[in-house]
Amino acid sequence: MQRYLLDTHVLLWWLSDAQQLGPRCREILADPRNEVYVSAATTWEISIKITMGKLQAPEDMDSIVEDEGFSKLPISLFHGQLAGSLPSYHRDPFDRMLIAQAQAEGLILITADENIGKYNLRLRNPSE
């Protein structure tokens, strides 16, 4: 069993059955022995982009995450402090929160964002 955190684009790719997800990543996400987390930062980012007209996605992410069998990861004060103290390799506040949460919770972050690789955390490429 492994514990994973999904970057926003990976969650959206999973939900839309996008070809960007490789066969190994699909196996990981479908395996009930793995714990797969979706951060509150992800649903926050999605809802902002929907409101701005930059994204079309389901609006009831809370229920969808639950239906997919994924676990919800709230944002703690410690996560916020850690995200704020990260080096400035990446300026996106949502990605910085995901990095901090993955570090703090010992999760493997599944992301295609190459800038995140500059931080000290375990990563998995979704195209594998």
Side-chain angles (χ1 to χ4, degrees):
M1 179 194 76
Q2 295 285 322
R3 300 172 67 229
Y4 296 92
L5 177 61
L6 303 183
D7 199 342
T8 304
H9 58 274
V10 176
L11 173 64
L12 294 172
W13 290 347
W14 172 259
L15 295 177
S16 66
D17 196 29
Q19 63 185 17
Q20 288 95 325
L21 287 181
R24 179 67 186 126
C25 186
R26 289 177 189 278
E27 287 175 19
I28 287 169
L29 298 181
D31 188 338
R33 295 172 295 181
N34 291 323
E35 289 183 57
V36 179
Y37 291 86
V38 175
S39 171
T42 292
T43 58
W44 180 19
E45 179 179 19
I46 289 170
S47 66
I48 287 173
K49 289 184 177 181
I50 288 171
T51 301
M52 294 173 69
K54 292 184 175 185
L55 179 67
Q56 288 187 335
E59 293 190 18
D60 187 14
M61 294 306 294
D62 189 75
S63 295
I64 291 169
V65 166
E66 204 168 281
D67 291 345
E68 292 296 324
F70 299 154
S71 298
K72 301 169 193 173
L73 182 60
I75 298 171
S76 72
L77 294 176
F78 180 72
H79 295 149
Q81 184 177 3
L82 184 56
S85 67
L86 288 171
S88 297
Y89 306 135
H90 207 306
R91 295 189 176 252
D92 183 301
F94 300 108
D95 286 335
R96 291 174 64 85
M97 180 54 69
L98 295 178
I99 293 163
Q101 288 182 303
Q103 288 178 337
E105 305 301 326
L107 304 172
I108 301 166
L109 181 60
I110 302 178
T111 184
D113 187 332
E114 294 178 5
N115 285 329
I116 291 177
K118 297 175 183 175
Y119 293 91
N120 182 27
L121 72 161
R122 296 183 302 160
L123 298 173
R124 175 163 290 278
N125 188 318
S127 66
E128 296 175 344

